[in-house]
Amino acid sequence: MKIQIPQGATEVKGAVRLQPQENVYLLSFVTNEQTAEVIAEDLHPDYPLAVEDPSSSSLSGEGFKHLDLAPPQELKGVRTTTACPPCVGDSRRRHIQGIEIHIGAVSGDRVRVYLAAY
């Protein structure tokens, strides 16, 4: 994904979900809300972060459960967007077709960032 983990981030977890067609790369960490929004903006999202129905599907599937995290699609109030690096000419991520971005509140100004890329 070519994501720089922000300084001061905690609970950093990542994995690769192997699938027959394409692998899904999972990354999650806790940071402050401002930093999370800067990271999301750097990914050139298709639309602004917005709260979606908790039952919305996710390309991460159950992948985050294997990292002992509640999947973002099961959280209430999580803000979500997507990014298409090839669509915006993001050469840093030319091997990535799409990224799901989820940001959910943890406590105070701390949020958990969930990223899933394929």
Side-chain angles (χ1 to χ4, degrees):
M1 280 188 259
K2 306 266 181 162
I3 302 289
Q4 182 70 37
I5 303 296
Q7 200 168 15
T10 59
E11 301 179 42
V12 178
K13 297 182 179 193
V16 178
R17 182 177 178 190
L18 302 176
Q19 301 185 141
Q21 295 289 335
E22 57 201 3
N23 296 332
V24 176
Y25 302 89
L26 305 170
L27 178 63
S28 182
F29 52 88
V30 174
T31 189
N32 66 58
E33 188 160 358
Q34 181 181 4
T35 301
E37 289 177 0
V38 167
I39 289 168
E41 207 49 46
D42 182 57
L43 294 171
H44 306 287
D46 300 327
Y47 53 90
L49 284 162
V51 175
E52 291 187 2
D53 180 5
S55 65
S56 293
S57 65
S58 172
L59 67 90
S60 63
E62 300 296 309
F64 285 108
K65 281 187 177 180
H66 293 288
L67 297 175
D68 292 325
L69 298 171
Q73 64 270 24
E74 293 181 5
L75 302 176
K76 291 183 180 179
V78 69
R79 295 179 298 150
T80 301
T81 189
T82 58
C84 174
C87 299
V88 296
D90 186 350
S91 62
R92 298 171 296 171
R93 299 176 184 93
R94 64 181 169 268
H95 64 287
I96 299 291
Q97 296 302 308
I99 302 172
E100 278 186 4
I101 306 155
H102 306 275
I103 298 177
V106 175
S107 66
D109 78 332
R110 304 291 284 176
V111 296
R112 175 168 294 284
V113 176
Y114 295 86
L115 301 170
Y118 63 97

